[in-house]
Amino acid sequence: MQINPFKHFTFLRGVNIIKIFFSYFLSIFLKRPIVWGKPITTTVEPTNLCNLKCPECPRGISALTRNAGYLSLEDFKKIVDQIYKYTFYIQLFFQGEPFLNKDLFKMIDYAKSKKMFVSISTNGTLFSDEMVNKLFESPPNKLIFSLDGLDEATYKIYRRGGIFNETLNGLGTISKYKKNKKLKEPFIELQFLVMKHNEHQIPLLNNFIKKYSVDKLKIKTMQVYSLEGAKNFLPSNPKYSRYILSENEFRIKSKLPNRCFTLWKNILVTWDGRVVPCCFDKDATYEMGNINKEEIISIWKNKKYLNFRKSILRNRKNISICNNCTSGLRIK
């Protein structure tokens, strides 16, 4: 099964996409930020809390300095109401496990009522039978299911706090329910984060996704924050790493060209209303504004946001969050 995003397009959304593309390429040519349209896609963080302690995740190791909490349904509706006429795609995840937010299914329903495509990424640990029933009562269009090991021993090295059999049973229950009911949604994408201890399982993945009726497999490179983490977790096969690792340092493979389409197409809102440039700004270091003080579209084109885009167009390597970016790399 393939995703068909066109059924979520409207005339206004189509015109907006054209405006964004033209203004982005004109910005590259002129080396100054021009933003004619509004966000094509939006990322919203239901919570930055998580039930796992993954060792290279800022939330897992308690490295986030920003407060932890849950997005309210009221704030979510406020976000959607301000952007839905132009934004066709909304991601309900950032830091944390989205399904910990008790209002998540109401958020899905509300976004879909505005004909938005809803995508959610989960660690897959919370899918009891009751949760699966709720999922199919209010299904997202796309469910990204993270599973970084195909057996208990491999899985628990990174997904600390998760129980492999329960997670696998959750995936199996979702897939079986969907298949038995002959449902098209949610589109299920299995995400496999390649690390030193699980890269030997890559050849087994195609049979695994067939067994569990997964719609798509996505093999991803992992993000690390220290030399110790790089040595402990980066795979031996360089194809599956976004870094070049030596004895004394690690650095991103990307040449970090002075451009970034994300800053023209997507806006990201944290659970407490902060607007940040992209998903690599885990701790909201580069806050562009707050929806509790200003409307999203005003933030999208405010002076601070334009100056940040200008800095990307002139010298992207100087922006700290860009040093983990996978843009332009084949394996993401």
Side-chain angles (χ1 to χ4, degrees):
M1 188 190 85
Q2 296 295 320
I3 294 174
N4 179 17
F6 292 102
K7 67 179 182 180
H8 299 274
F9 280 16
T10 63
F11 178 76
L12 276 180
R13 290 173 180 175
V15 170
N16 184 58
I17 289 172
I18 293 170
K19 284 183 176 180
I20 284 295
F21 270 95
F22 271 96
S23 62
Y24 172 64
F25 288 113
L26 188 59
S27 298
I28 294 173
F29 179 74
L30 297 176
K31 291 184 170 50
R32 62 182 178 86
I34 298 167
V35 184
W36 285 335
K38 298 173 177 65
I40 298 172
T41 63
T42 299
T43 301
V44 180
E45 180 181 65
T47 182
N48 62 349
L49 290 162
C50 189
N51 58 324
L52 300 186
K53 299 289 183 183
C54 302
E56 281 298 310
C57 171
R59 169 49 62 202
I61 60 174
S62 301
L64 294 182
T65 63
R66 59 188 175 97
N67 292 335
Y70 299 94
L71 175 70
S72 70
L73 182 60
E74 180 184 2
D75 282 348
F76 178 75
K77 287 182 176 181
K78 180 168 66 175
I79 293 167
V80 169
D81 288 345
Q82 291 179 27
I83 50 92
Y84 80 91
K85 290 182 181 179
Y86 307 94
T87 300
F88 81 96
Y89 191 104
I90 188 165
Q91 299 180 129
L92 287 177
F93 59 92
F94 180 31
Q95 296 299 286
E97 169 52 46
F99 285 92
L100 289 173
N101 190 314
K102 62 181 177 59
D103 289 323
L104 185 70
F105 294 110
K106 293 178 182 177
M107 294 176 185
I108 295 170
D109 286 340
Y110 192 73
K112 290 182 73 174
S113 75
K114 303 295 185 180
K115 301 191 184 303
M116 300 179 79
F117 184 98
V118 181
S119 175
I120 297 178
S121 181
T122 176
N123 60 34
T125 58
L126 301 175
F127 288 110
S128 61
D129 289 346
E130 181 184 359
M131 184 69 85
V132 172
N133 287 332
K134 288 181 179 179
L135 178 74
F136 283 98
E137 288 171 4
S138 302
N141 300 98
K142 180 178 178 181
L143 182 69
I144 302 169
F145 200 102
S146 296
L147 190 73
D148 309 320
L150 302 184
D151 56 54
E152 177 70 29
T154 306
Y155 173 84
K156 70 181 182 181
I157 292 173
Y158 190 73
R159 295 289 173 178
R160 296 178 185 175
I163 299 173
F164 175 73
N165 286 334
E166 289 183 4
T167 305
L168 197 62
N169 287 341
L171 175 61
T173 303
I174 292 169
S175 298
K176 185 178 180 180
Y177 189 107
K178 181 184 169 186
K179 186 175 182 179
N180 289 344
K181 298 290 185 179
K182 298 181 180 180
L183 301 173
K184 293 183 178 180
E185 292 181 340
F187 179 93
I188 302 173
E189 177 178 295
L190 184 77
Q191 179 177 286
F192 190 84
L193 194 62
V194 182
M195 293 170 272
K196 183 181 293 185
H197 60 273
N198 69 7
E199 60 183 315
H200 67 283
Q201 294 183 332
I202 292 174
L204 306 176
L205 287 170
N206 283 332
N207 284 336
F208 181 88
I209 65 169
K210 288 177 183 176
K211 179 179 178 181
Y212 286 91
S213 302
V214 170
D215 296 302
K216 181 181 178 181
L217 168 66
K218 187 161 188 178
I219 295 175
K220 291 194 68 175
T221 62
M222 79 171 301
Q223 183 171 336
V224 295
Y225 295 90
S226 66
L227 183 60
E228 180 184 7
K231 289 181 176 180
N232 287 340
F233 291 102
L234 292 185
S236 59
N237 188 338
K239 175 184 176 182
Y240 299 110
S241 176
R242 69 181 72 170
Y243 305 100
I244 296 172
L245 174 64
S246 65
E247 187 62 31
N248 299 313
E249 67 172 1
F250 66 100
R251 57 184 174 84
I252 196 77
K253 286 178 180 178
S254 173
K255 295 180 181 178
L256 296 180
N258 293 331
R259 58 182 180 272
C260 181
F261 186 47
T262 297
L263 294 177
W264 273 257
K265 76 169 183 177
N266 186 73
I267 196 163
L268 193 157
V269 187
T270 65
W271 74 269
D272 54 354
R274 305 185 201 191
V275 172
V276 297
C278 78
C279 63
F280 288 99
D281 192 5
K282 314 290 188 188
D283 212 17
T285 303
Y286 296 91
E287 185 178 332
M288 300 292 116
N290 194 302
I291 65 162
N292 296 311
K293 300 176 182 178
E294 189 178 0
E295 290 200 351
I296 289 179
I297 301 307
S298 297
I299 298 171
W300 178 244
K301 294 188 179 182
N302 70 17
K303 186 175 181 180
K304 195 171 185 179
Y305 220 138
L306 289 173
N307 284 339
F308 187 84
R309 293 185 182 101
K310 184 188 295 183
S311 66
I312 291 289
L313 292 170
R314 293 185 176 179
N315 195 348
R316 187 172 163 214
K317 291 179 181 178
N318 277 351
I319 308 298
S320 61
I321 59 173
C322 295
N323 290 314
N324 261 317
C325 184
T326 55
S327 178
L329 297 180
R330 237 177 234 188
I331 302 290
K332 296 185 180 181

